[in-house]
Amino acid sequence: MVEEKTAADMETIVSLCKRRGFIFQSSEIYGGIGGSWDYGPFGVELKRNIKNAWWRDVVHRRDDMVGSDTGILMHPRVWEASGHVESFTDPLVDCKSCRRRFRADQVQDSVCPECGGELTEPRLFNLMLKTFLGPVEDDASLTYLRPETAQGMFVNFPSILEASRKKLPFGIAQIGKAFRNEITPRNFTFRTREFEQMEIEYFVKPGTDEEWHQRWIQERLNWYLRYGLTRERLRLRQHEGDELAHYSKATSDIEYLFPFGWAELEGISNRTDYDLRQHSAYSGKDLTYFDEESSTHIYPYVIEPSGGVDRAALAFLVDAYHEERVLKRQRTVLRFHPELAPVKAAVFPLLRNRPELVALAKDIASELRMHMPVLYDDTASIGRLYRRQDEIGTPCCVTVDVETLEDRAVTIRDRDSMDQIRVPIAEVKDTLLERLGRG
Ligand code: GAP
């Protein structure tokens, strides 16, 4: 008899992430730092799997996409041209009593949410993190840690176009860190000051932009569904006119129902020709595309699907989380899609005080390790070992028992159904690969 509960609260997720080595508070031994998180052994695997799946699906499996990896530090004029110096701001209010600061849209009735004190009038606060290049800290050496990866792709448009010989429509993809001096980082890894983005700048002929915008919205929604997010916990939301970023003609967000409510997972914007035109004007360089059909130089329009790796990881964690009561015992299980699971299989000896079982289990683990991330564990009873793997979402567990020495077969236990099958050692690798969808 299995009773199931799916939706977890944030406290449960944060505590599981810490306990099982997914995510830790940055600099925790010094009391932590706001808006920065560290990924531990399983968290980093989850994140890599998300990024690899994204890269494979949007770059390797498409003929109209190429990749890039541009610098976090860029010429400061980039941020003037892009409009970020002028417009990348949030309205900020100060509490006159406790001096805390809040985003104006996150407080109600001009009252401090912490102490009830009176708040100042909103003033604009630029979210870019400043830094200085070289030994002298003056205006001439001032630049910014990029607040989005996008600009690296716009300023490289002519070089990438020439090197790749692509024709419109085509896109550039990039994964990388971005930084924002968020006034109120919150909700665990949802809103942080340092995060990773997975961005596409897809260049199209003007006039075809609206159609491509709709295609990318569907494409990106389907991507989250393909890797297991629940349909009912995903929705599309179109931005109102006054919500649009300074570069956008239209934006639709893919929102996920996190434990703290519906919130943006990815934004898909129609950036028009804004960025290429701005960089042409500010740099004096030609960022046009020669359209053979009309024999004219044009500025392509840009559709930009821009997602956060950390937000995707959080959504996949929340969605995977299940609590069950199995035969009156509590079981916590992360039902990750096999592609995203940090560890694909774990191998145990049933009895850790039997050297022949331990040696054989270690051999099987090393052989499997050539084909997938595998964990060997003999530090607890079999029941506990299964529970540990359930909590990190390992799809399959392989157990070597006394009978294995006779019949050269092991037990494979399925994470979701908990069904067990007996498989000859020689067939374990292929059986696992098949179960992981790589057969
Ligand atoms: N280039 C467009 C752009 O940066 P955005 O909506 O500001 O657009 C895109 O950011 C994605 O980056 C968001 O959908 C979100 O997933 C992620 N993101 C933005 N700010 C973030 C933050 N402070 N912490 C974590 N992720 C963030």
Side-chain angles (χ1 to χ4, degrees):
M1 168 69 180
V2 177
E3 294 164 41
E4 224 185 295
K5 187 175 140 226
T6 51
D9 55 32
M10 276 315 280
E11 230 172 80
T12 309
I13 295 292
V14 174
S15 127
L16 176 95
C17 283
K18 186 172 175 179
R19 188 171 72 248
R20 287 295 176 216
F22 280 92
I23 303 170
F24 312 114
Q25 167 82 70
S26 165
S27 323
E28 197 171 14
I29 60 168
Y30 289 98
I33 181 173
S36 188
W37 296 88
D38 297 339
Y39 288 78
F42 300 123
V44 69
E45 295 294 339
L46 173 63
K47 248 177 110 171
R48 286 176 77 103
N49 292 342
I50 292 168
K51 290 187 280 185
N52 287 345
W54 186 87
W55 193 268
R56 190 192 51 222
D57 294 342
V58 308
V59 182
H60 292 170
R61 290 196 173 159
R62 297 182 65 120
D63 192 33
D64 56 350
M65 292 284 304
V66 293
S68 67
D69 184 5
T70 68
I72 286 170
L73 298 173
M74 301 183 76
H75 195 290
R77 291 275 286 167
V78 167
W79 306 110
E80 288 171 32
S82 68
H84 282 80
V85 171
E86 167 99 19
S87 309
F88 196 56
T89 51
D90 267 348
L92 166 127
V93 288
D94 289 290
C95 172
K96 290 181 183 171
S97 307
C98 70
R99 310 249 164 248
R100 284 204 176 84
R101 292 186 158 172
F102 305 93
R103 253 171 58 180
D105 60 346
Q106 287 170 347
V107 294
Q108 282 170 349
D109 307 327
S110 299
V111 173
C112 172
E114 293 291 332
C115 75
E118 195 189 336
L119 298 172
T120 59
E121 284 299 307
R123 63 195 164 84
L124 292 179
F125 172 77
N126 195 294
L127 295 181
M128 283 198 293
L129 272 159
K130 290 179 182 156
T131 191
F132 297 93
L133 297 184
V136 184
E137 293 191 7
D138 61 10
D139 284 354
S141 63
L142 169 73
T143 191
Y144 305 93
L145 303 184
R146 66 181 177 198
E148 60 173 13
T149 75
Q151 297 305 323
M153 295 183 266
F154 293 130
V155 300
N156 278 300
F157 175 70
S159 317
I160 293 178
L161 183 61
E162 198 185 326
S164 67
R165 307 198 163 275
K166 291 285 178 202
K167 302 261 181 265
L168 294 185
F170 82 96
I172 308 176
Q174 167 152 287
I175 298 177
K177 288 262 182 178
F179 302 83
R180 295 181 189 177
N181 199 5
E182 297 285 356
I183 300 165
T184 43
R186 57 172 58 190
N187 292 328
F188 196 29
T189 53
F190 180 80
R191 187 181 305 288
T192 56
R193 294 190 170 124
E194 172 178 352
F195 54 95
E196 264 184 297
Q197 290 187 314
M198 310 184 278
E199 294 201 297
I200 297 168
E201 306 306 330
Y202 196 78
F203 301 91
V204 303
K205 279 193 191 179
T208 65
D209 50 306
E210 290 181 11
E211 187 198 329
W212 274 108
H213 191 200
Q214 292 311 314
R215 279 167 80 159
W216 273 110
I217 292 168
Q218 283 314 314
E219 180 75 26
R220 294 303 306 144
L221 180 63
N222 290 340
W223 189 84
Y224 289 103
L225 292 170
R226 192 177 316 148
Y227 292 98
L229 290 190
T230 310
R231 182 65 191 89
E232 294 69 43
R233 297 179 76 88
L234 282 167
R235 73 176 186 196
L236 294 172
R237 191 182 68 81
Q238 208 174 334
H239 281 210
E240 303 289 333
D242 58 356
E243 230 187 310
L244 289 173
H246 59 274
Y247 49 73
S248 173
K249 166 176 161 186
T251 295
S252 282
D253 285 345
I254 297 174
E255 292 191 334
Y256 181 74
L257 182 56
F258 288 96
F260 46 84
W262 288 100
E264 176 187 344
L265 196 53
E266 170 158 346
I268 299 112
S269 292
N270 183 343
R271 285 184 86 126
T272 69
D273 53 4
Y274 174 86
D275 300 271
L276 291 178
R277 275 189 191 276
Q278 285 289 102
H279 287 302
S280 276
Y282 276 69
S283 68
K285 298 288 185 311
D286 180 13
L287 299 191
T288 57
Y289 170 90
F290 182 70
D291 179 35
E292 282 163 6
E293 220 171 65
S294 61
S295 287
T296 51
H297 286 269
I298 58 167
Y299 283 101
Y301 267 42
V302 175
I303 306 303
E304 180 194 63
S306 172
V309 183
D310 309 84
R311 281 191 193 176
L314 185 59
F316 284 119
L317 270 162
V318 167
D319 216 276
Y321 187 93
H322 288 75
E323 279 174 16
E324 299 172 348
R325 282 195 81 71
V326 186
L327 299 172
K328 299 196 177 155
R329 293 192 65 176
Q330 153 101 11
R331 176 170 103 112
T332 299
V333 55
L334 294 184
R335 295 193 198 280
F336 285 128
H337 186 283
E339 280 288 326
L340 304 187
V343 177
K344 308 301 178 197
V347 184
F348 322 129
L350 185 64
L351 303 166
R352 63 183 144 154
N353 57 1
R354 290 283 298 268
E356 330 85 275
L357 299 190
V358 168
L360 186 52
K362 284 187 174 168
D363 281 352
I364 294 172
S366 342
E367 150 66 15
L368 291 174
R369 228 169 249 133
M370 297 297 129
H371 307 276
M372 64 192 84
V374 165
L375 224 148
Y376 169 85
D377 197 358
D378 63 7
T379 57
S381 67
I382 192 76
R384 260 173 184 255
L385 294 178
Y386 280 150
R387 246 169 291 146
R388 263 185 212 163
Q389 296 306 317
D390 287 344
E391 282 205 350
I392 61 167
T394 305
C396 299
C397 290
V398 178
T399 305
V400 174
D401 53 31
V402 181
E403 254 180 61
T404 309
L405 302 173
E406 303 291 321
D407 67 0
R408 307 299 294 169
V410 292
T411 302
I412 297 182
R413 179 235 196 210
D414 180 81
R415 174 195 69 196
D416 297 339
S417 64
M418 291 181 288
D419 287 346
Q420 304 196 359
I421 52 164
R422 197 80 185 158
V423 176
I425 293 173
E427 291 170 24
V428 169
K429 182 198 79 186
D430 287 343
T431 308
L432 292 181
L433 289 174
E434 200 176 306
R435 288 188 167 216
L436 297 169
R438 301 191 197 164

